[in-house]
Each structure stands twice: as C-alpha cells, then as structure tokens.
C-alpha cells in the first residue's frame, strides 16, 4: 500500500514537517521539538507554556501522530471532542486511517470515520476496511472508483482485487476502463489493463484500441468480424485520435467513408464529428472550413461556436463574425467579451452608431473587455464597488486567536488551514464579517479568500486589498516599473498567500520557479536563495519585480508581451507574433494567444492593475488606464521584438 499511501501520510503531516525559522518563542520551541519527535525538548517547552496555551491542539496532535499505528482510536475521537472548532481532528483522522491500514488494523480504521472521506486514496482505504467487516456495499463502491480513465492510487488495489475476485469488476468493466483511458490519453493505463482481459470477448478489441492510439489510420482495417458494439467503439476512438494527428484526413474519411467503414452509432458519430470540428476550429484549418461551418450550423455546440467566433476574430472576418456571435447562447452574447467584438465588427463594417451602442453595453461590466469598450467610447470604467454593509462585530472566536498567533509564529500554512476551516463552517453573513475582520487585521490573503467564500464579487475592498503596498512601491522604484502591475501579478498568481506553492513548484506571492529565482538572484550578485527565503514576502517581491523588470526590458516595455512571457515563458512570444506583413491590432493579438490560461492571465492582470490603481492610487483617473498608447497603437508582429 503502498507508496501513494505513504505520500498521503507525508502530505497530511505538513503540520509536523515544515521547518521553523528559529525557536525564538516557547511555542516555537515546543512545536519544533514535537515535529522532530524530541519529547524531552517538548516537555521542557511545555513546562514554560503551561497546558492551556491557545495552540495546545498542535502539540497534542503530534503526540497522537507519533503514537500511530498503536494509538487507540478512542483517543482520536477524544481529540475531536476536545477541539471541535479546529481542522486538526480531520488531519489526525486521515493520518490514523493510513497508519491503521498499513498495519492491517481494520477495526481501528473503521472507527475513525463514520462516512467515506473525500480523498480518493482514503476513500479506497475506507471501503477496504468496510469490506474486511463483510460490508458488500464496499465492492459496488469499488466498481464506481474503478471506472475512470485516470490512474488510481495503489491504496485502491486491494479493494479492486476483491471486487474482481467476486466478479463485481469483470471483463466489461476492464474494457470500459480501457476505453476511458483512451479518451484521457492514457496509453500507459491501457497497457496496464490489457493483460487483465481474456482474448474473448474483449482481448482482440483491446489490442486494436492500443494500435489505434499509436496509428489511428488503421481504423480502416478494423475487422468486421468483431462484435458490432466493439467495432463502433473502436471506430469512434480511431476518429478521435485521427482528429488530433491528422485533422484534414479525419474530416475527409468522416465525410466520405462512414458507410464503407460501417460506422453507424449515431451518438458516437456525433461525438467524432464534434472532435474533428474542434481541432478544425482551434487550428484554423482552411481545408476543413466549408465542412466545419456547415457542421456547426447543423450541429452547434456552445463551446465550438465560441471557438468559431474566436477564429473569426483572429482572422478578422468582420463580415462573418456577427453571424457566429448570433449563434451563441443569450448569456454569452450579453457578456462584455462578445459585446465588445460585436462592436468591433460593426465598426469595421461601417456602422459606427451600432458599435457605440454595443460598447456602451459592454462598458457596464467590470472586466477586461468592459474596460476596453469604455476606452473605445471615452467613458470612465465602471467599478460597481459595493460598500461592506451589516454588523461587522464578531463574537469571540478561539480560531481567530489561533490564527493571529500562528501568523505571529510565522506559520502561514497552519493559519491558512484554520481560516479555511472557519470559513467552511460559517454562513454567508459570518463569512462577510470575517472578511472585514481580516481586512482590518491586515490579513490580506485571508481577506481575499473570505471574499471568494462569501461570493462578495462586488466588495472590491475585500477582493483587491492593498497588500504589501509599500514593498511593491519600493521594489517598483528600484526596478523602474509600475508597482500596481507587480501587485496585480501577485494578486493573480497567489491571491497574496505568501506560502503558495503551485503543482509545478512555483513559490510565494509572485509564484517564482526556483530556477528563475536563482537566476535572478545570481544576476543581482546575490547567493542562490533557499526555498524558505523565496517564500518570504520581501524576498519574493524583490526577486519577482526584478524578473518582471527584466521581461519588460526584453520586450521594449510592452506589458502584454511581458505578462504573456511571465505566464508562459519568454520563448513562446516569438511563436505567437506574426510576420510583419500580417501584423494585427492589439485586441486581436490578445484573443489570438493560443493558450487560454495565458489569454486569461494577460487580461486579468491588466484588469487587476486598473482596479488597484483606481481603488488605492488615483481614484479620479478611471479611464484609459488599461493599455498604454504604445501598446494599443502598435501593430503586433515579430517586428516588435526583432531588435
């Protein structure tokens, strides 16, 4: 059980594995000792703290953690009763379940959870414990967990094996999972599953499924001797893969050869056509254009029509764009994005009055295209800023005292967990009270999190607090850049959570990759910073703004190119700029950025920058702040970076 179970144990034990800066206070000494199983040191520090310290739950947590797997599960329940308003009881339950399972203490494992936990790995362990007690429902739940195109933790293997032994997971379920893995682009999982299938009735079809993943053009050779339901699945899989590898050929065969291939399943044919249409659209394949447009008019699909309208923008097909926008759902048509582009089409088609009307509608919205539309008609931006209302007085909550202490003890991760637990267990009124409390306390990352939980989209004081403003201003002066832009990056990257870590390893407020942080530090004549230093807000802001300044220098001060590079890497920018004779306007270039994440990122950061300056800088200047004249007036092409 396993490596993945061990990984879960390590992750859940974050309260015992994160290194402290220094043992400067009795609690820091105690926590450092507890994390390192130094019980004598803990006893000495505990004597100085007393037994009623507000953070006592953390020290008791480690005593329980260290006693696993021999710990009596009653002590886990007692711990939950003693600390009912804390996230820690759930943490110790998770650790206990993993530890008991590894030690085959299934009675104890069943005792720590009354219902299945959310984590996939813990869910498998929970149902394995139930199966050990003869609960037949465990096998049907195992079947549900099995049917996925993605790999499952090895902690699930035992309950899967039990379900296979009892026939709850049989040949049909293994074949179904192979099909799901194909659609999730999981050839490794497909190869893992293949030996589980007998030659009949699914083995031959499974071999063909693997072959089609490697060479989808083999779909013309699928044996007609296979059962028809398997052939239909294989033909659909082959067309899906061929749409990715050779979209033109996929369209030609789909258009001309369905009858000869014996592809008759209407639902699978529809799905295959939509996939060919998707790649035809996002790749802008001219050879498929007539077929694509006919397909979309007959079959629709909101996401496909959206992409087709976007393709019309990229190719500046201003005559055709209104027709594609008209096929979008009403809610999409009324969104500022498509109101803006409908206005651009009207302008290009000579209808200035309609363009202005559409831009006025778009300008009522607080977002990138709303602000862009406002600039088109020379109107101020609509912030639609709601003032917090209601009783802001909170009762005394022990969790708030713990959060305060944890932040003072330089434990942002633990404070974050406490805050999230408190938010999840509060109603909307309490969440709003907590948002204002956090803002007053200067807990800017927690303020933003509270605004999200409370869905307080119009309370901009909570969503865009002036976090670390002085640091950003000082760093901006040092590196000759706009501090509001750097602050907007931090808001987008981490929502001001200083301990943020991305799945790929980016760290801190401005989400710096360790290699980037090291490179910037070396170029500044400094030593390579340790991870803990990169997480420090002052260091992170210094290195992040220096890196941003380098990108702005590299791209001649163009913030759009620099932001796209910050998100996707500098090397991609040249790929996204056309030859000089194909230069495009700034708005078209933004819409043409291939990565949706980067498109959204550039728009969000520029929008956040406007909000920060409008809220905390010059509130009178709320127009023409989105793009600089040089950015909006320059055609976008490779000529911008050739120097």
């Amino acid at each position: 059980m396993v490596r993945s179970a061990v990984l879960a144990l390590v992750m859940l034990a974050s309260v015992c594995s994160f290194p402290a800066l220094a043992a400067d206070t009795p609690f820091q000494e105690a926590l450092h000792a507890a994390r390192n199983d130094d019980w004598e040191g803990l006893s000495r520090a505990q004597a100085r703290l007393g037994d009623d310290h507000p953070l006592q739950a953390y020290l008791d947590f480690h005593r329980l953690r260290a006693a696993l797997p021999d710990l009596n599960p009653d002590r886990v329940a007692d711990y939950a009763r003693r600390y009912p308003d804390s996230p820690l009881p759930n943490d110790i339950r998770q650790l206990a379940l993993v530890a008991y399972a590894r030690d085959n203490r299934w009675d104890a494992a069943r005792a720590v959870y009354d219902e299945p936990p959310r984590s996939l790995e813990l869910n498998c362990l929970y149902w394995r414990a139930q199966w050990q007690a003869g609960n037949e429902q465990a096998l049907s739940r195992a079947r549900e967990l099995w049917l996925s195109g993605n790999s499952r933790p090895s902690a699930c293997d035992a309950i899967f094996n039990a379900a296979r032994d009892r026939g709850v997971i049989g040949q049909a379920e293994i074949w179904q999972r192979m099909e799901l893995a194909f659609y999730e682009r999981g050839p490794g999982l497909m190869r893992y599953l293949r030996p589980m299938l007998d030659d009949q009735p699914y083995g031959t079809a499974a071999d063909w499924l693997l072959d089609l993943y490697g060479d989808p053009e083999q779909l013309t050779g699928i044996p007609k001797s296979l059962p028809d339901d398997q052939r239909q699945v294989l033909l659909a899989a082959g067309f899906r893969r061929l749409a990715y590898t050779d979209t033109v050929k996929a369209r030609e065969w789909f258009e001309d050869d369905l009858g000869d291939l014996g592809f008759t399943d209407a639902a699978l044919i529809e799905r295959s056509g939509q996939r060919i249409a998707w790649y035809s659209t996002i790749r802008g394949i001219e050879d498929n254009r007539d077929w694509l447009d006919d397909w979309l008019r007959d079959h629709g699909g909101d996401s496909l029509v959206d992409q087709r309208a976007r393709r019309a923008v990229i190719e500046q097909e201003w005559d055709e764009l209104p027709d594609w926008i008209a096929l979008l759902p009403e809610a999409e048509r009324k969104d500022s994005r498509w109101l803006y582009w409908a206005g651009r089409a009207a302008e290009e088609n000579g209808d200035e009055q309609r363009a202005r009307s559409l831009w006025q509608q778009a300008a009522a919205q607080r977002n990138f295209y709303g602000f862009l539309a406002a600039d088109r008609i020379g109107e101020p931006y609509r912030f639609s800023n709601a003032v917090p209302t209601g009783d802001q007085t909170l009762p005394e909550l022990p969790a708030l005292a713990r959060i305060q202490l944890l932040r003072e003890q330089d434990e942002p991760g633990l404070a974050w967990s406490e805050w999230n637990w408190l938010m999840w267990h509060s109603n909307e009124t309490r969440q709003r009270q907590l948002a204002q409390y956090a803002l007053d306390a200067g807990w800017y990352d927690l303020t933003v999190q509270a605004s999200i939980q409370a869905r307080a989209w119009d309370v901009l004081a909570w969503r865009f607090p002036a976090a670390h403003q002085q640091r950003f201003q000082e760093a901006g002066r040092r590196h000759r850049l706009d501090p509001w832009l750097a602050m907007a990056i931090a808001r987008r990257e981490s929502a001001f959570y200083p301990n943020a870590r991305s799945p790929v390893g980016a760290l801190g407020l401005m989400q710096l990759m360790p290699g980037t942080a090291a490179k910037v530090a070396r170029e500044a004549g400094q030593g390579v910073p340790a991870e803990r230093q990169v997480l420090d807000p002052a260091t992170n802001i210094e290195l992040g703004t220096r890196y941003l300044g380098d990108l702005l220098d590299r791209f001649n001060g163009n913030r759009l190119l620099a932001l796209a590079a910050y998100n996707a890497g500098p090397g991609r920018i040249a790929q996204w700029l056309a030859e000089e004779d194909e230069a495009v306007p700034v708005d078209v270039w933004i819409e043409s950025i291939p990565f949706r994440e980067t498109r959204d990122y550039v728009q969000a950061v520029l929008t956040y920058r406007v909000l920060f300056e409008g809220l905390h800088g010059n509130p009178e200047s709320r127009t023409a702040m989105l793009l600089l004249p040089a950015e909006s007036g320059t055609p976008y092409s490779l000529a911008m970076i050739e120097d």
Side-chain angles (χ1 to χ4, degrees), residues 37-59:
D37 296 339
D38 176 8
W39 308 117
E40 290 186 9
L42 175 59
S43 295
R44 289 193 300 270
Q46 185 80 71
R48 296 167 60 193
L49 284 172
D51 293 329
D52 297 322
H53 192 275
L55 300 178
Q56 183 64 40
Y58 289 88
L59 306 181

Side-chain angles (χ1 to χ4, degrees), residues 336-337 340 359-385 460 463-464 602-615 621-627:
S336 64
R337 178 190 178 205
Y340 174 83
W359 287 332
Q360 284 175 331
Q361 296 175 58
Q365 300 180 35
R366 184 189 59 237
N367 52 39
F368 179 80
Y369 280 110
F371 292 170
L372 203 58
D375 285 345
R376 284 274 176 176
I377 55 180
E379 291 189 357
Y381 304 142
R382 310 282 183 85
F383 277 26
S384 304
N385 189 12
L460 302 187
R463 294 187 61 203
F464 299 98
V602 171
Q603 294 173 31
V605 171
L606 291 173
T607 304
Y608 292 177
R609 189 219 157 275
V610 168
L611 293 170
F612 277 120
E613 183 172 359
L615 291 167
S621 176
R622 290 190 178 178
T623 186
M625 299 162 59
L626 190 66
L627 300 178

Side-chain angles (χ1 to χ4, degrees), residues 241-309:
R241 187 69 176 158
L242 189 61
Y244 175 74
T245 60
D246 190 338
T247 312
V248 172
K249 183 170 289 186
R251 186 267 305 165
E252 291 173 345
W253 288 6
F254 185 82
E255 203 173 13
D256 300 330
D257 299 330
L258 292 188
D260 292 341
L261 292 170
F263 196 9
T264 58
D265 188 300
L268 293 179
I269 289 172
E270 177 75 13
R271 192 190 331 182
S272 300
Q274 293 283 45
R275 199 64 179 175
I276 297 168
W278 173 261
Y279 283 114
S280 298
T281 306
I282 65 172
R283 291 172 174 172
I285 297 176
E286 191 62 35
D287 287 348
N288 287 7
R289 184 60 54 82
D290 290 342
W291 171 86
L292 169 65
D293 290 354
D294 290 341
W295 173 271
L296 289 179
R297 291 187 181 100
D298 292 339
H299 298 265
D302 293 347
S303 62
L304 272 172
V305 174
D306 180 276
Q307 287 295 330
R308 181 62 183 90

Side-chain angles (χ1 to χ4, degrees), residues 162-210:
R164 289 181 62 202
D165 290 343
R166 293 288 294 271
V168 177
I169 295 175
Q171 294 286 288
E173 286 75 23
I174 297 169
W175 164 248
Q176 187 176 350
R177 192 174 180 197
M178 273 198 75
E179 181 187 356
L180 293 170
F182 186 101
Y183 280 83
E184 292 293 334
R185 297 186 184 180
L189 178 57
M190 294 167 64
R191 288 190 290 269
Y192 169 78
L193 294 169
R194 172 60 186 94
M196 300 181 189
L197 288 169
D198 300 331
D199 289 342
Q200 295 297 330
Y202 295 106
T204 303
D207 290 336
W208 270 97
L209 196 62
L210 281 164

Side-chain angles (χ1 to χ4, degrees), residues 56 106 182 230 236 250 271 283 310 331 334 461-462 516:
Q56 183 64 40
W106 298 111
F182 186 101
Q230 295 177 12
R271 192 190 331 182
R283 291 172 174 172
R310 176 172 170 263
K334 291 183 176 180
W462 298 343
T516 300

